[in-house]
Amino acid sequence: MTDTWQTITRLAIRLENHSTLPREQRILLQLLKIQEEAGEVAEAVIGAMGQNPRKGHSHTWEDVEAEVCDVIVTGMVALIRMNPDAAAVFARHMERIAGRDLGENAERPAG
C-alpha cells in the first residue's frame, strides 16, 4: 500500500505547480477548500436521508464516507502546504489528543 503522506505530498506538489498565486493565497484557498468539502459531506448526508424534497434519496452512506475521506485528504494537503514537516506535526497533535482523551484521566466506560 502506498504511504499516505507520500500521496499527500504528491497531491500538494501538483497543486503548488498548478498555481501562480503567492504562497499565502495558495494556503488560504486550500484552507477554504476544506469548508467546500465539508459542505459536500452535508449535501451527501441530506441526500442519504432523503431530506431534499427536489432530490429525494440522492446519495448513499457510502457517498457520505467518500466525502468524509475527501475532507480528511483536503485537510492533510492543507497541512503539508503550510508545513513540509506535516507528518510530524500531525503525529505530535495525535499524541496530545491521545494523552488528553485516552490518558489516565479520560472517562472510562461504565461496567
Side-chain angles (χ1 to χ4, degrees):
M1 181 164 72
T2 304
D3 177 74
T4 300
W5 282 108
Q6 285 178 343
T7 301
I8 296 300
T9 299
R10 291 176 58 211
L11 289 168
I13 290 169
R14 180 173 176 254
L15 292 169
E16 289 294 317
N17 290 338
H18 175 74
S19 181
T20 58
L21 294 173
R23 182 174 188 276
E24 276 187 1
Q25 288 180 11
R26 293 192 312 266
I27 290 171
L28 177 61
L29 290 170
Q30 183 67 41
L31 294 170
L32 291 174
K33 184 72 175 165
I34 297 168
Q35 183 61 41
E36 179 187 16
E37 294 294 343
E40 291 177 17
V41 171
E43 180 182 11
V45 168
I46 290 167
M49 296 183 74
Q51 293 303 299
N52 183 328
R54 288 185 303 107
K55 297 181 182 178
H57 285 275
S58 58
H59 292 76
T60 66
W61 287 104
E62 288 79 17
D63 295 328
V64 176
E65 291 171 356
E67 295 298 346
V68 170
C69 288
D70 286 347
V71 171
I72 294 166
V73 168
T74 302
M76 292 174 78
V77 169
L79 184 59
I80 205 161
R81 290 180 86 183
M82 292 172 67
N83 185 334
D85 200 22
V89 170
F90 188 73
R92 285 191 304 272
H93 189 74
M94 289 302 297
E95 287 174 12
R96 283 193 297 274
I97 289 172
R100 179 191 68 206
D101 296 338
L102 303 174
E104 234 177 76
N105 297 324
E107 290 182 29
R108 302 211 187 274

